[in-house]
PDB file of all heavy atoms in Angstrom:
ATOM      1  N   LEU A 972     108.715 104.916  98.416  1.00 98.00           N
ATOM      2  CA  LEU A 972     107.537 104.231  97.894  1.00 98.00           C
ATOM      3  C   LEU A 972     106.281 105.023  98.231  1.00 98.00           C
ATOM      4  O   LEU A 972     106.026 105.315  99.402  1.00 98.00           O
ATOM      5  CB  LEU A 972     107.408 102.830  98.506  1.00 98.00           C
ATOM      6  CG  LEU A 972     108.608 101.887  98.401  1.00 98.00           C
ATOM      7  CD1 LEU A 972     108.244 100.537  99.015  1.00 98.00           C
ATOM      8  CD2 LEU A 972     109.069 101.718  96.974  1.00 98.00           C
ATOM      9  N   PRO A 973     105.469 105.380  97.231  1.00 98.00           N
ATOM     10  CA  PRO A 973     104.142 105.926  97.535  1.00 98.00           C
ATOM     11  C   PRO A 973     103.355 104.906  98.360  1.00 98.00           C
ATOM     12  O   PRO A 973     103.801 103.757  98.523  1.00 98.00           O
ATOM     13  CB  PRO A 973     103.532 106.134  96.149  1.00 98.00           C
ATOM     14  CG  PRO A 973     104.701 106.236  95.220  1.00 98.00           C
ATOM     15  CD  PRO A 973     105.738 105.316  95.797  1.00 98.00           C
ATOM     16  N   PRO A 974     102.197 105.271  98.896  1.00 98.00           N
ATOM     17  CA  PRO A 974     101.479 104.356  99.795  1.00 98.00           C
ATOM     18  C   PRO A 974     101.361 102.942  99.238  1.00 98.00           C
ATOM     19  O   PRO A 974     101.006 102.745  98.069  1.00 98.00           O
ATOM     20  CB  PRO A 974     100.107 105.016  99.930  1.00 98.00           C
ATOM     21  CG  PRO A 974     100.392 106.471  99.780  1.00 98.00           C
ATOM     22  CD  PRO A 974     101.471 106.548  98.735  1.00 98.00           C
ATOM     23  N   VAL A 975     101.665 101.964 100.082  1.00 98.00           N
ATOM     24  CA  VAL A 975     101.669 100.549  99.670  1.00 98.00           C
ATOM     25  C   VAL A 975     100.462  99.811 100.249  1.00 98.00           C
ATOM     26  O   VAL A 975     100.427  98.588 100.261  1.00 98.00           O
ATOM     27  CB  VAL A 975     102.978  99.857 100.114  1.00 98.00           C
ATOM     28  CG1 VAL A 975     104.172 100.472  99.413  1.00 98.00           C
ATOM     29  CG2 VAL A 975     103.149  99.941 101.643  1.00 98.00           C
ATOM     30  N   HIS A 976      99.466 100.556 100.713  1.00 98.00           N
ATOM     31  CA  HIS A 976      98.335  99.973 101.422  1.00 98.00           C
ATOM     32  C   HIS A 976      97.217  99.546 100.458  1.00 98.00           C
ATOM     33  O   HIS A 976      97.226  99.906  99.273  1.00 98.00           O
ATOM     34  CB  HIS A 976      97.797 100.985 102.427  1.00 98.00           C
ATOM     35  CG  HIS A 976      98.867 101.705 103.191  1.00 98.00           C
ATOM     36  ND1 HIS A 976      99.729 101.039 104.026  1.00 98.00           N
ATOM     37  CD2 HIS A 976      99.222 103.021 103.226  1.00 98.00           C
ATOM     38  CE1 HIS A 976     100.574 101.918 104.562  1.00 98.00           C
ATOM     39  NE2 HIS A 976     100.281 103.125 104.079  1.00 98.00           N
ATOM     40  N   PRO A 977      96.240  98.795 100.970  1.00 98.00           N
ATOM     41  CA  PRO A 977      95.051  98.480 100.155  1.00 98.00           C
ATOM     42  C   PRO A 977      94.386  99.772  99.669  1.00 98.00           C
ATOM     43  O   PRO A 977      94.373 100.787 100.376  1.00 98.00           O
ATOM     44  CB  PRO A 977      94.152  97.716 101.126  1.00 98.00           C
ATOM     45  CG  PRO A 977      95.091  97.117 102.128  1.00 98.00           C
ATOM     46  CD  PRO A 977      96.198  98.124 102.287  1.00 98.00           C
ATOM     47  N   ILE A 978      93.840  99.722  98.459  1.00 98.00           N
ATOM     48  CA  ILE A 978      93.248 100.900  97.815  1.00 98.00           C
ATOM     49  C   ILE A 978      91.730 100.764  97.804  1.00 98.00           C
ATOM     50  O   ILE A 978      91.187  99.698  97.498  1.00 98.00           O
ATOM     51  CB  ILE A 978      93.789 101.057  96.383  1.00 98.00           C
ATOM     52  CG1 ILE A 978      95.310 101.279  96.424  1.00 98.00           C
ATOM     53  CG2 ILE A 978      93.092 102.214  95.658  1.00 98.00           C
ATOM     54  CD1 ILE A 978      95.966 101.234  95.063  1.00 98.00           C
ATOM     55  N   GLY A 979      91.057 101.858  98.134  1.00 98.00           N
ATOM     56  CA  GLY A 979      89.600 101.835  98.193  1.00 98.00           C
ATOM     57  C   GLY A 979      88.946 101.639  96.836  1.00 98.00           C
ATOM     58  O   GLY A 979      89.532 101.924  95.779  1.00 98.00           O
ATOM     59  N   TYR A 980      87.683 101.170  96.879  1.00 97.00           N
ATOM     60  CA  TYR A 980      86.908 100.946  95.653  1.00 97.00           C
ATOM     61  C   TYR A 980      85.896 102.072  95.421  1.00 97.00           C
ATOM     62  O   TYR A 980      85.613 102.434  94.275  1.00 97.00           O
ATOM     63  CB  TYR A 980      86.170  99.606  95.738  1.00 97.00           C
ATOM     64  CG  TYR A 980      87.100  98.414  95.767  1.00 97.00           C
ATOM     65  CD1 TYR A 980      87.414  97.771  96.967  1.00 97.00           C
ATOM     66  CD2 TYR A 980      87.666  97.931  94.595  1.00 97.00           C
ATOM     67  CE1 TYR A 980      88.274  96.690  96.996  1.00 97.00           C
ATOM     68  CE2 TYR A 980      88.527  96.838  94.615  1.00 97.00           C
ATOM     69  CZ  TYR A 980      88.825  96.223  95.822  1.00 97.00           C
ATOM     70  OH  TYR A 980      89.676  95.147  95.833  1.00 97.00           O
ATOM     71  N   THR A 981      85.364 102.629  96.476  1.00 96.00           N
ATOM     72  CA  THR A 981      84.331 103.657  96.344  1.00 96.00           C
ATOM     73  C   THR A 981      84.914 104.909  95.698  1.00 96.00           C
ATOM     74  O   THR A 981      85.924 105.444  96.161  1.00 96.00           O
ATOM     75  CB  THR A 981      83.750 103.999  97.722  1.00 96.00           C
ATOM     76  OG1 THR A 981      83.189 102.833  98.305  1.00 96.00           O
ATOM     77  CG2 THR A 981      82.686 105.073  97.599  1.00 96.00           C
ATOM     78  N   LYS A 982      84.260 105.364  94.614  1.00 95.00           N
ATOM     79  CA  LYS A 982      84.685 106.561  93.875  1.00 95.00           C
ATOM     80  C   LYS A 982      86.125 106.447  93.390  1.00 95.00           C
ATOM     81  O   LYS A 982      86.824 107.456  93.246  1.00 95.00           O
ATOM     82  CB  LYS A 982      84.529 107.813  94.746  1.00 95.00           C
ATOM     83  CG  LYS A 982      83.104 108.087  95.207  1.00 95.00           C
ATOM     84  CD  LYS A 982      82.188 108.440  94.051  1.00 95.00           C
ATOM     85  CE  LYS A 982      80.799 108.797  94.543  1.00 95.00           C
ATOM     86  NZ  LYS A 982      79.879 109.168  93.442  1.00 95.00           N
ATOM     87  N   ARG A 983      86.570 105.235  93.096  1.00 97.00           N
ATOM     88  CA  ARG A 983      87.940 105.030  92.622  1.00 97.00           C
ATOM     89  C   ARG A 983      88.166 105.811  91.330  1.00 97.00           C
ATOM     90  O   ARG A 983      87.344 105.809  90.430  1.00 97.00           O
ATOM     91  CB  ARG A 983      88.211 103.543  92.399  1.00 97.00           C
ATOM     92  CG  ARG A 983      89.594 103.250  91.828  1.00 97.00           C
ATOM     93  CD  ARG A 983      89.870 101.762  91.694  1.00 97.00           C
ATOM     94  NE  ARG A 983      90.152 101.151  92.996  1.00 97.00           N
ATOM     95  CZ  ARG A 983      90.659  99.920  93.142  1.00 97.00           C
ATOM     96  NH1 ARG A 983      90.899  99.169  92.071  1.00 97.00           N
ATOM     97  NH2 ARG A 983      90.888  99.446  94.344  1.00 97.00           N
ATOM     98  N   LYS A 984      89.351 106.482  91.256  1.00 95.00           N
ATOM     99  CA  LYS A 984      89.702 107.258  90.073  1.00 95.00           C
ATOM    100  C   LYS A 984      90.252 106.341  88.977  1.00 95.00           C
ATOM    101  O   LYS A 984      90.909 105.334  89.246  1.00 95.00           O
ATOM    102  CB  LYS A 984      90.752 108.308  90.425  1.00 95.00           C
ATOM    103  CG  LYS A 984      90.245 109.401  91.369  1.00 95.00           C
ATOM    104  CD  LYS A 984      89.233 110.310  90.684  1.00 95.00           C
ATOM    105  CE  LYS A 984      88.822 111.470  91.568  1.00 95.00           C
ATOM    106  NZ  LYS A 984      89.906 112.421  91.824  1.00 95.00           N
ATOM    107  N   GLY A 985      90.018 106.762  87.728  1.00 96.00           N
ATOM    108  CA  GLY A 985      90.503 106.015  86.583  1.00 96.00           C
ATOM    109  C   GLY A 985      91.662 106.707  85.900  1.00 96.00           C
ATOM    110  O   GLY A 985      92.233 107.685  86.406  1.00 96.00           O
ATOM    111  N   LYS A 986      92.021 106.218  84.733  1.00 96.00           N
ATOM    112  CA  LYS A 986      93.153 106.725  83.969  1.00 96.00           C
ATOM    113  C   LYS A 986      93.023 108.228  83.756  1.00 96.00           C
ATOM    114  O   LYS A 986      91.948 108.742  83.479  1.00 96.00           O
ATOM    115  CB  LYS A 986      93.216 105.999  82.627  1.00 96.00           C
ATOM    116  CG  LYS A 986      94.407 106.371  81.761  1.00 96.00           C
ATOM    117  CD  LYS A 986      94.456 105.518  80.505  1.00 96.00           C
ATOM    118  CE  LYS A 986      95.657 105.882  79.644  1.00 96.00           C
ATOM    119  NZ  LYS A 986      95.764 105.030  78.434  1.00 96.00           N
ATOM    120  N   ASN A 987      94.172 108.920  83.909  1.00 94.00           N
ATOM    121  CA  ASN A 987      94.217 110.380  83.755  1.00 94.00           C
ATOM    122  C   ASN A 987      93.225 111.100  84.658  1.00 94.00           C
ATOM    123  O   ASN A 987      92.629 112.107  84.289  1.00 94.00           O
ATOM    124  CB  ASN A 987      94.010 110.775  82.293  1.00 94.00           C
ATOM    125  CG  ASN A 987      95.228 110.445  81.442  1.00 94.00           C
ATOM    126  OD1 ASN A 987      96.365 110.653  81.864  1.00 94.00           O
ATOM    127  ND2 ASN A 987      94.998 109.908  80.264  1.00 94.00           N
ATOM    128  N   ASN A 988      93.067 110.554  85.866  1.00 92.00           N
ATOM    129  CA  ASN A 988      92.233 111.185  86.896  1.00 92.00           C
ATOM    130  C   ASN A 988      90.754 111.199  86.533  1.00 92.00           C
ATOM    131  O   ASN A 988      90.000 112.056  86.992  1.00 92.00           O
ATOM    132  CB  ASN A 988      92.731 112.611  87.179  1.00 92.00           C
ATOM    133  CG  ASN A 988      92.289 113.131  88.537  1.00 92.00           C
ATOM    134  OD1 ASN A 988      91.944 112.359  89.436  1.00 92.00           O
ATOM    135  ND2 ASN A 988      92.285 114.441  88.691  1.00 92.00           N
ATOM    136  N   ALA A 989      90.335 110.243  85.706  1.00 93.00           N
ATOM    137  CA  ALA A 989      88.915 110.137  85.360  1.00 93.00           C
ATOM    138  C   ALA A 989      88.105 109.862  86.619  1.00 93.00           C
ATOM    139  O   ALA A 989      88.544 109.139  87.523  1.00 93.00           O
ATOM    140  CB  ALA A 989      88.709 109.012  84.346  1.00 93.00           C
ATOM    141  N   LEU A 990      86.910 110.437  86.706  1.00 92.00           N
ATOM    142  CA  LEU A 990      86.094 110.308  87.910  1.00 92.00           C
ATOM    143  C   LEU A 990      85.560 108.900  88.110  1.00 92.00           C
ATOM    144  O   LEU A 990      85.206 108.519  89.230  1.00 92.00           O
ATOM    145  CB  LEU A 990      84.927 111.302  87.858  1.00 92.00           C
ATOM    146  CG  LEU A 990      85.323 112.783  87.910  1.00 92.00           C
ATOM    147  CD1 LEU A 990      84.086 113.664  87.833  1.00 92.00           C
ATOM    148  CD2 LEU A 990      86.125 113.090  89.167  1.00 92.00           C
ATOM    149  N   VAL A 991      85.497 108.111  87.041  1.00 93.00           N
ATOM    150  CA  VAL A 991      85.011 106.734  87.138  1.00 93.00           C
ATOM    151  C   VAL A 991      86.083 105.801  86.591  1.00 93.00           C
ATOM    152  O   VAL A 991      86.567 105.983  85.471  1.00 93.00           O
ATOM    153  CB  VAL A 991      83.696 106.546  86.352  1.00 93.00           C
ATOM    154  CG1 VAL A 991      83.226 105.097  86.463  1.00 93.00           C
ATOM    155  CG2 VAL A 991      82.627 107.489  86.883  1.00 93.00           C
ATOM    156  N   ALA A 992      86.445 104.799  87.385  1.00 95.00           N
ATOM    157  CA  ALA A 992      87.472 103.847  86.970  1.00 95.00           C
ATOM    158  C   ALA A 992      86.851 102.657  86.264  1.00 95.00           C
ATOM    159  O   ALA A 992      85.746 102.218  86.610  1.00 95.00           O
ATOM    160  CB  ALA A 992      88.263 103.375  88.193  1.00 95.00           C
ATOM    161  N   ALA A 993      87.586 102.160  85.273  1.00 95.00           N
ATOM    162  CA  ALA A 993      87.186 100.909  84.637  1.00 95.00           C
ATOM    163  C   ALA A 993      87.447  99.768  85.618  1.00 95.00           C
ATOM    164  O   ALA A 993      88.260  99.900  86.548  1.00 95.00           O
ATOM    165  CB  ALA A 993      87.967 100.709  83.348  1.00 95.00           C
ATOM    166  N   PRO A 994      86.782  98.628  85.434  1.00 91.00           N
ATOM    167  CA  PRO A 994      86.906  97.519  86.405  1.00 91.00           C
ATOM    168  C   PRO A 994      88.338  97.065  86.670  1.00 91.00           C
ATOM    169  O   PRO A 994      88.669  96.655  87.787  1.00 91.00           O
ATOM    170  CB  PRO A 994      86.084  96.411  85.748  1.00 91.00           C
ATOM    171  CG  PRO A 994      85.083  97.134  84.917  1.00 91.00           C
ATOM    172  CD  PRO A 994      85.792  98.349  84.384  1.00 91.00           C
ATOM    173  N   HIS A 995      89.209  97.155  85.655  1.00 92.00           N
ATOM    174  CA  HIS A 995      90.570  96.637  85.817  1.00 92.00           C
ATOM    175  C   HIS A 995      91.552  97.685  86.333  1.00 92.00           C
ATOM    176  O   HIS A 995      92.713  97.374  86.596  1.00 92.00           O
ATOM    177  CB  HIS A 995      91.089  96.125  84.464  1.00 92.00           C
ATOM    178  CG  HIS A 995      91.225  97.211  83.440  1.00 92.00           C
ATOM    179  ND1 HIS A 995      90.138  97.726  82.758  1.00 92.00           N
ATOM    180  CD2 HIS A 995      92.319  97.903  83.013  1.00 92.00           C
ATOM    181  CE1 HIS A 995      90.557  98.667  81.922  1.00 92.00           C
ATOM    182  NE2 HIS A 995      91.875  98.797  82.064  1.00 92.00           N
ATOM    183  N   GLU A 996      91.126  98.929  86.498  1.00 95.00           N
ATOM    184  CA  GLU A 996      92.060  99.987  86.852  1.00 95.00           C
ATOM    185  C   GLU A 996      92.351  99.983  88.355  1.00 95.00           C
ATOM    186  O   GLU A 996      91.448  99.778  89.172  1.00 95.00           O
ATOM    187  CB  GLU A 996      91.503 101.343  86.413  1.00 95.00           C
ATOM    188  CG  GLU A 996      91.494 101.481  84.887  1.00 95.00           C
ATOM    189  CD  GLU A 996      91.006 102.824  84.408  1.00 95.00           C
ATOM    190  OE1 GLU A 996      90.002 103.343  84.965  1.00 95.00           O
ATOM    191  OE2 GLU A 996      91.610 103.368  83.466  1.00 95.00           O
ATOM    192  N   PRO A 997      93.625 100.235  88.720  1.00 97.00           N
ATOM    193  CA  PRO A 997      94.052 100.038  90.121  1.00 97.00           C
ATOM    194  C   PRO A 997      93.682 101.162  91.066  1.00 97.00           C
ATOM    195  O   PRO A 997      93.714 100.979  92.286  1.00 97.00           O
ATOM    196  CB  PRO A 997      95.568  99.917  89.992  1.00 97.00           C
ATOM    197  CG  PRO A 997      95.907 100.766  88.803  1.00 97.00           C
ATOM    198  CD  PRO A 997      94.760 100.591  87.841  1.00 97.00           C
ATOM    199  N   GLY A 998      93.375 102.364  90.561  1.00 97.00           N
ATOM    200  CA  GLY A 998      93.060 103.487  91.422  1.00 97.00           C
ATOM    201  C   GLY A 998      94.296 104.177  91.964  1.00 97.00           C
ATOM    202  O   GLY A 998      95.430 103.725  91.782  1.00 97.00           O
ATOM    203  N   SER A 999      94.063 105.301  92.637  1.00 97.00           N
ATOM    204  CA  SER A 999      95.165 106.052  93.232  1.00 97.00           C
ATOM    205  C   SER A 999      95.562 105.421  94.560  1.00 97.00           C
ATOM    206  O   SER A 999      94.714 105.173  95.428  1.00 97.00           O
ATOM    207  CB  SER A 999      94.751 107.505  93.471  1.00 97.00           C
ATOM    208  OG  SER A 999      95.686 108.162  94.303  1.00 97.00           O
ATOM    209  N   CYS A1000      96.866 105.196  94.725  1.00 97.00           N
ATOM    210  CA  CYS A1000      97.321 104.560  95.967  1.00 97.00           C
ATOM    211  C   CYS A1000      97.228 105.494  97.167  1.00 97.00           C
ATOM    212  O   CYS A1000      97.451 105.060  98.304  1.00 97.00           O
ATOM    213  CB  CYS A1000      98.740 104.022  95.803  1.00 97.00           C
ATOM    214  SG  CYS A1000      99.954 105.211  95.255  1.00 97.00           S
ATOM    215  N   TRP A1001      96.874 106.759  96.936  1.00 97.00           N
ATOM    216  CA  TRP A1001      96.660 107.674  98.066  1.00 97.00           C
ATOM    217  C   TRP A1001      95.232 107.575  98.615  1.00 97.00           C
ATOM    218  O   TRP A1001      94.930 108.198  99.631  1.00 97.00           O
ATOM    219  CB  TRP A1001      96.981 109.101  97.658  1.00 97.00           C
ATOM    220  CG  TRP A1001      98.463 109.375  97.710  1.00 97.00           C
ATOM    221  CD1 TRP A1001      99.184 109.783  98.788  1.00 97.00           C
ATOM    222  CD2 TRP A1001      99.403 109.232  96.639  1.00 97.00           C
ATOM    223  NE1 TRP A1001     100.519 109.908  98.471  1.00 97.00           N
ATOM    224  CE2 TRP A1001     100.681 109.577  97.149  1.00 97.00           C
ATOM    225  CE3 TRP A1001      99.308 108.848  95.304  1.00 97.00           C
ATOM    226  CZ2 TRP A1001     101.836 109.558  96.368  1.00 97.00           C
ATOM    227  CZ3 TRP A1001     100.460 108.826  94.519  1.00 97.00           C
ATOM    228  CH2 TRP A1001     101.699 109.178  95.050  1.00 97.00           C
ATOM    229  N   ALA A1002      94.365 106.807  97.940  1.00 97.00           N
ATOM    230  CA  ALA A1002      93.022 106.526  98.467  1.00 97.00           C
ATOM    231  C   ALA A1002      93.130 105.263  99.309  1.00 97.00           C
ATOM    232  O   ALA A1002      92.891 104.140  98.850  1.00 97.00           O
ATOM    233  CB  ALA A1002      92.024 106.355  97.329  1.00 97.00           C
ATOM    234  N   ILE A1003      93.498 105.418 100.555  1.00 98.00           N
ATOM    235  CA  ILE A1003      93.982 104.308 101.376  1.00 98.00           C
ATOM    236  C   ILE A1003      92.847 103.602 102.106  1.00 98.00           C
ATOM    237  O   ILE A1003      92.019 104.248 102.755  1.00 98.00           O
ATOM    238  CB  ILE A1003      95.021 104.823 102.398  1.00 98.00           C
ATOM    239  CG1 ILE A1003      96.227 105.413 101.663  1.00 98.00           C
ATOM    240  CG2 ILE A1003      95.461 103.718 103.353  1.00 98.00           C
ATOM    241  CD1 ILE A1003      97.179 106.164 102.566  1.00 98.00           C
ATOM    242  N   GLY A1004      92.846 102.271 102.005  1.00 98.00           N
ATOM    243  CA  GLY A1004      92.004 101.451 102.858  1.00 98.00           C
ATOM    244  C   GLY A1004      90.828 100.790 102.166  1.00 98.00           C
ATOM    245  O   GLY A1004      90.111 101.403 101.386  1.00 98.00           O
ATOM    246  N   ASN A1005      90.652  99.503 102.454  1.00 98.00           N
ATOM    247  CA  ASN A1005      89.456  98.752 102.038  1.00 98.00           C
ATOM    248  C   ASN A1005      89.298  97.574 102.997  1.00 98.00           C
ATOM    249  O   ASN A1005      89.898  97.558 104.073  1.00 98.00           O
ATOM    250  CB  ASN A1005      89.535  98.340 100.560  1.00 98.00           C
ATOM    251  CG  ASN A1005      90.666  97.369 100.247  1.00 98.00           C
ATOM    252  OD1 ASN A1005      91.083  96.575 101.103  1.00 98.00           O
ATOM    253  ND2 ASN A1005      91.180  97.421  99.031  1.00 98.00           N
ATOM    254  N   LYS A1006      88.536  96.568 102.605  1.00 97.00           N
ATOM    255  CA  LYS A1006      88.280  95.436 103.498  1.00 97.00           C
ATOM    256  C   LYS A1006      89.551  94.691 103.890  1.00 97.00           C
ATOM    257  O   LYS A1006      89.577  93.954 104.892  1.00 97.00           O
ATOM    258  CB  LYS A1006      87.313  94.461 102.819  1.00 97.00           C
ATOM    259  CG  LYS A1006      87.822  93.886 101.508  1.00 97.00           C
ATOM    260  CD  LYS A1006      86.811  92.936 100.886  1.00 97.00           C
ATOM    261  CE  LYS A1006      87.300  92.406  99.538  1.00 97.00           C
ATOM    262  NZ  LYS A1006      88.590  91.703  99.630  1.00 97.00           N
ATOM    263  N   ASP A1007      90.607  94.852 103.104  1.00 98.00           N
ATOM    264  CA  ASP A1007      91.870  94.172 103.407  1.00 98.00           C
ATOM    265  C   ASP A1007      92.701  94.904 104.454  1.00 98.00           C
ATOM    266  O   ASP A1007      93.745  94.394 104.880  1.00 98.00           O
ATOM    267  CB  ASP A1007      92.699  94.008 102.131  1.00 98.00           C
ATOM    268  CG  ASP A1007      92.027  93.088 101.118  1.00 98.00           C
ATOM    269  OD1 ASP A1007      91.593  91.991 101.529  1.00 98.00           O
ATOM    270  OD2 ASP A1007      91.936  93.469  99.934  1.00 98.00           O
ATOM    271  N   GLY A1008      92.255  96.078 104.866  1.00 98.00           N
ATOM    272  CA  GLY A1008      92.980  96.805 105.905  1.00 98.00           C
ATOM    273  C   GLY A1008      93.239  98.244 105.525  1.00 98.00           C
ATOM    274  O   GLY A1008      92.805  98.726 104.471  1.00 98.00           O
ATOM    275  N   GLY A1009      93.966  98.928 106.410  1.00 98.00           N
ATOM    276  CA  GLY A1009      94.247 100.341 106.208  1.00 98.00           C
ATOM    277  C   GLY A1009      95.724 100.646 106.227  1.00 98.00           C
ATOM    278  O   GLY A1009      96.515 100.033 105.517  1.00 98.00           O
TER     279      GLY A1009
END
């Protein structure tokens, strides 16, 4: 399993590695950690 941790919001990547994510996009799971933990 790739990282199963909370995913950060700051500078979250979008579809096809876009620099800005749309509101509904989940982001890369390798960007680990947010208010829910690390």
Side-chain angles (χ1 to χ4, degrees):
L972 306 182
V975 296
H976 317 297
I978 298 171
Y980 294 100
T981 301
K982 300 294 184 179
R983 177 177 285 192
K984 293 291 185 67
K986 184 175 181 178
N987 288 319
N988 201 21
L990 294 179
V991 179
H995 64 282
E996 290 182 318
S999 167
C1000 55
W1001 279 273
I1003 298 170
N1005 64 29
K1006 60 180 178 58
D1007 295 312

